[in-house]
Amino acid sequence: MTQKTVHIEFILNNETMVLDIPTRMSALSVIRDVLGLTGTKEGCGVGECGACTIVVDGQAVNACLMFAGQLDGCAVLTVEGLEQKGKLNTLQEKFLDNHAVQCGFCTPGVLMSTHALLEENTNPSDNEIVKALSGNICRCTGYQQIFSSVREACSNKTEDLNG
Ligand code: FES
Ligand code: FES
């Protein structure tokens, strides 16, 4: 039996992607297995852990819960797209400064959830940061360092805008 396919075109980390993929393939499989961008992790596979978080049209979403076909026409950002001119962005730098990474498995998802928040709101409240992180499970770092990193990245962003 031949597998049904769907044609999709979308922007991934500022590059146009044109693909024919099986209709039931997940966005996570396309990103990791077809396109080889393995920064996005597969943890639970059922929308519980946030390891697979990507940003689609500005919204943080679980790639394991999306069909790849839903990416058609969208602008998609993965952790590989965060660096700017070959350098880590402010949020990534703050994670390093605050030792907010241990095994690193959750880190791409955490970065993408908080990146989406900061793109929408350069100076979120503590509660807004906690809410943005609420879908991301970290088993080893502890959330305080992650929270502090995001808080500091916000201060930097606000200073950039004011300065
Ligand atoms: Fe998608 Fe866990 S792998 S939420
Ligand atoms: Fe290990 Fe978060 S750094 S799960």
Side-chain angles (χ1 to χ4, degrees):
M1 200 171 75
T2 48
Q3 210 173 20
K4 282 191 183 163
T5 60
V6 62
H7 179 83
I8 57 172
E9 299 186 20
F10 62 103
I11 307 294
L12 177 62
N13 301 335
N14 288 324
E15 274 185 55
T16 302
M17 300 289 149
V18 180
L19 300 170
D20 289 293
I21 39 106
T23 40
R24 297 181 66 81
M25 181 173 269
S26 71
L28 181 59
S29 289
V30 162
I31 289 167
R32 284 182 56 87
D33 305 330
V34 177
L35 299 171
L37 296 184
T38 54
T40 305
K41 302 302 182 208
E42 178 162 15
C44 64
V46 292
E48 299 284 347
C49 72
C52 65
T53 305
I54 59 174
V55 177
V56 178
D57 287 344
Q59 300 293 313
V61 298
N62 291 328
C64 70
L65 295 183
M66 280 186 87
F67 284 120
Q70 293 175 284
L71 299 178
D72 188 43
C74 295
V76 180
L77 188 70
T78 67
V79 70
E80 289 87 351
L82 286 185
E83 66 175 31
Q84 292 164 349
K85 296 181 184 161
K87 290 193 170 166
L88 299 181
N89 75 6
T90 303
L91 192 55
Q92 291 170 307
E93 291 281 5
K94 293 298 175 189
F95 271 62
L96 284 183
D97 293 349
N98 287 285
H99 307 288
V101 180
Q102 282 192 39
C103 78
F105 193 81
C106 72
T107 309
V110 170
L111 284 168
M112 300 318 289
S113 293
T114 49
H115 174 81
L117 170 70
L118 299 191
E119 284 295 288
E120 193 177 285
N121 181 356
T122 52
N123 194 20
S125 66
D126 290 354
N127 277 346
E128 286 169 326
I129 296 173
V130 169
K131 192 170 166 209
L133 287 168
S134 62
N136 294 87
I137 294 173
C138 176
R139 296 181 63 187
C140 48
T141 296
Y143 296 96
Q144 187 57 51
Q145 293 98 316
I146 292 172
F147 176 87
S148 302
S149 306
V150 180
R151 184 80 275 164
E152 285 182 22
C154 301
S155 324
N156 263 47
K157 272 205 160 213
T158 312
E159 279 164 23
D160 288 350
L161 287 177
N162 294 338

